[in-house]
Amino acid sequence: MVPELFARAGYEAVTLDLQHGMFDFEAAVDSLGLIALGGAHRIARIPVADNALAGRLIDMGAECIIAPMINSREEAEQFARAMKYPPMGERSWSPRRAAMLSGQTDHEYLTNSNSQTLALAMIETQEAIEALDDILSVPELDGIFVGPSDLSLSLSKGTALDPNGPETARACADIASKAKAAGKIAGIFCLSAEKVEEAVAQGYRLLSYGIDTVFIDGAARTALGETAWTKDKAGTGIGY
């Protein structure tokens, strides 16, 4: 239900995190339908190097897959080709639910799917930055997606988690510039409205803003703060 609420709230796309989040395949399948019902685009992040799961998720209706820890052209190519039908790739045919959620016949889906299903490689290590030109040269790859937290860990050699720091910001700006020059989509994860503004200025056009658990935690704490007077007035607190 939570993904549908975000879709109905006005998010243009909702991302299901199967790398660090609590979604398994069955929960993701249910949520993809709910996101479509809410009117938003459907994105999923897979665990590291799980290209088989990428194929299953797009068969179930995901429109975009984000693959973490892509550090070479070979890894980017293997991932992207798993997302595309021949001759671009090696995706196996069985998109019944994907075609249904996109409102297309099987023939229409086959004709359109290679351009409508996006493969984004996460750039989140020094190794990936060094291989960025090669990664961006993969024709089947639609774009990149930056993970600032892991990127900051890699840039600092594990000494600092600083996703909003100046060194990370400079690296993010350079990544966006190279992606744009290569004609690829540039995406990034943001934890604050200020980071969204910075990312847009850097050239990013796909922005993942916020985490559901963080939003719910913040709303709950705000609600309790607004009713904290009950402990003084009535000698009791608010329960759920």
Side-chain angles (χ1 to χ4, degrees):
M1 183 175 181
V2 172
E4 182 184 349
L5 290 175
F6 275 85
R8 291 187 181 278
Y11 273 74
E12 294 182 56
V14 177
T15 302
L16 306 176
D17 188 359
L18 283 80
Q19 182 192 15
H20 293 305
M22 294 179 285
F23 288 94
D24 59 15
F25 178 71
E26 290 185 1
V29 171
D30 290 341
S31 295
L32 289 169
L34 292 172
I35 294 168
L37 184 64
H41 291 290
R42 308 173 294 279
I43 302 175
R45 177 165 68 169
I46 58 174
V48 176
D50 199 342
N51 294 334
L53 181 58
R56 294 186 74 194
L57 288 169
I58 54 176
D59 281 348
M60 292 297 107
E63 298 170 285
C64 173
I65 300 292
I66 299 172
M69 293 294 174
I70 298 293
N71 292 321
S72 68
R73 188 186 196 282
E74 181 181 9
E75 291 173 353
E77 186 174 36
Q78 289 173 350
F79 159 61
R81 288 185 63 81
M83 297 272 296
K84 307 293 182 180
Y85 289 122
M88 290 183 69
E90 298 95 22
R91 180 182 173 189
S92 178
W93 176 258
S94 187
R96 301 293 185 269
R97 183 168 173 79
M100 179 180 69
L101 290 182
S102 62
Q104 300 179 80
T105 66
D106 284 359
H107 176 72
E108 290 170 337
Y109 186 83
L110 177 61
T111 301
N112 299 323
S113 61
N114 279 353
S115 61
Q116 292 179 345
T117 304
L118 303 179
L120 304 184
M122 287 198 77
I123 305 300
E124 46 190 343
T125 66
Q126 179 65 51
E127 186 179 359
I129 289 176
E130 293 169 359
L132 184 58
D133 290 337
D134 288 338
I135 291 171
L136 291 169
S137 72
V138 174
E140 300 88 358
L141 190 72
D142 298 290
I144 54 87
F145 191 90
V146 176
S149 293
D150 278 316
L151 184 59
S152 71
L153 283 174
S154 180
L155 293 174
S156 68
K157 295 180 172 57
T159 62
L161 180 63
D162 193 14
N164 299 316
E167 184 179 11
T168 307
R170 285 192 295 270
C172 290
D174 186 54
I175 293 168
S177 178
K178 287 188 175 183
K180 183 178 180 180
K184 305 288 189 180
I185 297 167
I188 191 170
F189 176 72
C190 303
L191 266 174
S192 68
E194 291 78 15
K195 190 65 179 180
V196 169
E197 185 176 1
E198 176 185 270
V200 170
Q202 290 171 337
Y204 288 94
R205 292 297 176 265
L206 173 63
L207 301 107
S208 179
Y209 173 38
I211 302 173
D212 53 2
T213 53
V214 174
F215 285 142
I216 293 169
D217 178 72
R221 292 177 185 276
T222 297
L224 286 173
E226 292 171 344
T227 57
W229 58 269
T230 61
K231 289 186 178 181
D232 296 327
K233 294 283 188 179
T236 186
I238 299 295
Y240 172 74

